[in-house]
């Protein structure tokens, strides 16, 4: 089977994709489902998110790490973990992560959301679904490869390689080398440009939360998409 | 000063850029200038290259590693090194590298072509030209980050860090980690998808040629661009 890491979203995905935006969208998405949200809806814009506000929705997201006017919540996994969302749809819109998830949803058969928090579970689920290829798609930071997502892709690759044989693309080799060189996730996460930006806004606790590996077995899984709205449920 | 590595060409470059396509365009470009070509002209397409054919031009390039019908030469640095090009313009058009050079030329003040072959000289020249930022722009492989260019960017970063203080972006950290983890350049070059493709076409000797570090002091340097044609001379 092929194991491919795209350091940025790119092109067509024929089979199973794990979308990664470890700081913070895919970590926070996982936490919303841990706290019993019925489903996550990744919207295409701030305006669309606000239009979806209702009694049964919570609207969450950020721009440049900060809360958006009119949204109920930001993109903090710690903040997300303080609520309970049973019976609710959480609408998310973020700078990088929700875009990557939407790109992957256009072509892939299966789309999962992965982070360090659910890395082992996401790798296991991808392995059980994939027939010919697992693609780990990093969201990156405003169109550039990011250290935090590349590292997380390396952790996912490491788990997958323990589960079977794969042929690796260049991105997978780069990500694995980074993971093997840097053992402690706090280092790449806090020295990444996204991490430094969070730290400067007083959100350093979120980085440390996102750096914890495989504490969750919840894997947000694409249920379907309609009218450009992409829906994930607990898998 | 900022030191930025873009694992793929992306956006605006305000200052000094080193474009990297180690397998093989920027290596071969360096060799053409070592062998006394007056100038290199990076064209936009195969058709445009053929239109530029004349008594004083040599047309070189490839698609998918193979020679193009009507071109005088392929994209092999070893083949390039068997000729002498005094008084000639070499027109080059390749799959990834000439595109990256053209993107960089649209905004940057200074554009250099870098490879392992001229890594030390390219780093030194970039350091002497740059005021606020050195950007190392990897060509990648058909829109995806490549192991060979990322490794070469790491070698360039290593030289630059020995010459002064820089703030690094995420791409630079990824490239440096790769370089520090993998000492011998033959390994990332030959296991990259571009390298494996060359090997499968019987072009393995080119990989070994491209893997030799800092044997040349020639740095192809952007002279100017007109009508979308980008011209490099020996710098």
């Amino acid at each position: 089977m092929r194991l491919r890491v795209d350091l940025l979203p790119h092109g067509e995905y024929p089979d199973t994709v794990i979308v990664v935006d470890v700081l913070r969208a895919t970590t926070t998405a996982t936490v919303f489902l841990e706290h019993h949200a019925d489903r996550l809806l990744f919207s295409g814009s701030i305006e669309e998110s606000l239009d979806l506000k209702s009694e049964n929705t919570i609207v969450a997201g950020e721009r440049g790490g900060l809360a958006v006017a009119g949204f109920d919540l930001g993109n903090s996994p710690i903040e997300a973990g303080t609520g309970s969302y049973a019976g609710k749809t959480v609408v998310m819109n973020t700078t990088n992560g929700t875009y990557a998830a939407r790109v992957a949803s256009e072509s892939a058969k299966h789309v999962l959301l992965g982070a360090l928090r659910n890395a082992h579970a996401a790798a296991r689920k991808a392995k059980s679904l994939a027939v010919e290829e697992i693609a780990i798609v990093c969201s990156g930071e405003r169109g550039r490869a990011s250290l935090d997502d590349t590292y997380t892709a390396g952790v996912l690759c490491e788990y997958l390689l323990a589960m079977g044989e794969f042929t690796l693309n260049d991105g997978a080799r780069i990500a694995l080398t980074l993971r093997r060189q840097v053992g402690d996730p706090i280092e790449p996460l806090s020295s990444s440009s996204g991490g430094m930006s969070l730290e400067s806004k007083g959100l350093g606790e979120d980085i440390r939360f996102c750096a914890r590996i495989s504490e969750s077995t919840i894997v947000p899984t694409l249920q379907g998409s309609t009218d450009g709205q992409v829906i994930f449920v607990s898998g």
Side-chain angles (χ1 to χ4, degrees), chain A:
Chain A
M1 196 180 307
R2 298 190 303 271
L3 174 54
R4 159 180 162 192
V5 172
D6 281 358
L7 303 186
L8 289 171
H10 175 81
E12 298 283 304
Y13 298 100
D15 189 350
T16 300
V17 172
I18 307 175
V19 174
V20 174
D21 184 4
V22 65
L23 291 178
R24 300 169 291 170
T26 56
T27 304
T28 302
T30 303
V31 172
F32 279 129
L33 293 182
E34 288 169 27
H35 288 250
H36 310 297
D38 276 10
R39 51 184 206 153
L40 304 170
L41 192 158
F42 279 21
S43 72
S45 66
I46 289 174
E47 296 67 36
E48 191 186 315
S49 304
L50 291 171
D51 287 346
L52 290 162
K53 261 188 123 165
S54 79
E55 212 176 305
N56 293 319
T57 62
I58 302 279
V59 181
E62 51 81 23
R63 277 299 176 282
L66 298 174
V68 180
F71 278 27
D72 301 303
L73 292 172
N75 187 27
S76 163
I78 294 176
E79 183 191 37
T82 62
S84 182
Y85 311 97
K88 303 272 188 192
T89 293
V90 178
V91 177
M92 289 184 75
N93 186 268
T94 69
T95 313
N96 304 294
T98 54
Y99 169 76
R102 290 161 58 90
V103 169
S105 303
E106 283 167 16
S107 57
K109 281 203 195 84
H110 307 284
V111 182
L112 314 175
L113 303 183
L116 292 174
R117 180 162 189 78
N118 67 350
H120 189 216
R124 208 166 39 198
K125 176 142 197 193
K127 183 71 172 66
S128 75
L129 293 169
V131 175
E132 49 172 322
E133 177 183 280
I134 297 172
I136 300 168
V137 179
C138 299
S139 301
E141 181 75 16
R142 297 165 195 271
R144 294 209 174 80
S146 76
L147 189 63
D148 45 316
D149 287 342
T150 306
Y151 178 87
T152 303
V155 171
L156 288 162
C157 287
E158 213 170 41
Y159 279 127
L160 286 164
L161 288 175
M163 298 172 194
E165 296 274 314
F166 291 91
T167 58
L168 307 179
N169 80 340
D170 284 16
R173 289 175 196 276
I174 292 169
L176 266 170
T177 304
L178 184 64
R179 160 61 175 170
R180 286 171 178 160
Q181 177 80 348
V182 186
D184 184 353
I186 200 69
E187 187 190 323
L189 265 60
S190 57
S191 67
S192 69
S193 80
M196 288 191 291
S197 167
L198 288 172
E199 194 74 67
S200 74
K201 296 180 178 89
L203 295 164
E205 281 305 314
D206 272 358
I207 304 172
R208 289 176 275 288
F209 184 95
C210 293
R212 282 149 41 187
I213 294 184
S214 298
E215 293 197 343
S216 174
T217 57
I218 298 289
V219 183
T221 302
L222 182 70
Q223 187 185 52
S225 55
T226 45
D227 299 335
Q229 293 168 359
V230 180
I231 291 162
F232 288 89
V233 297
S234 184

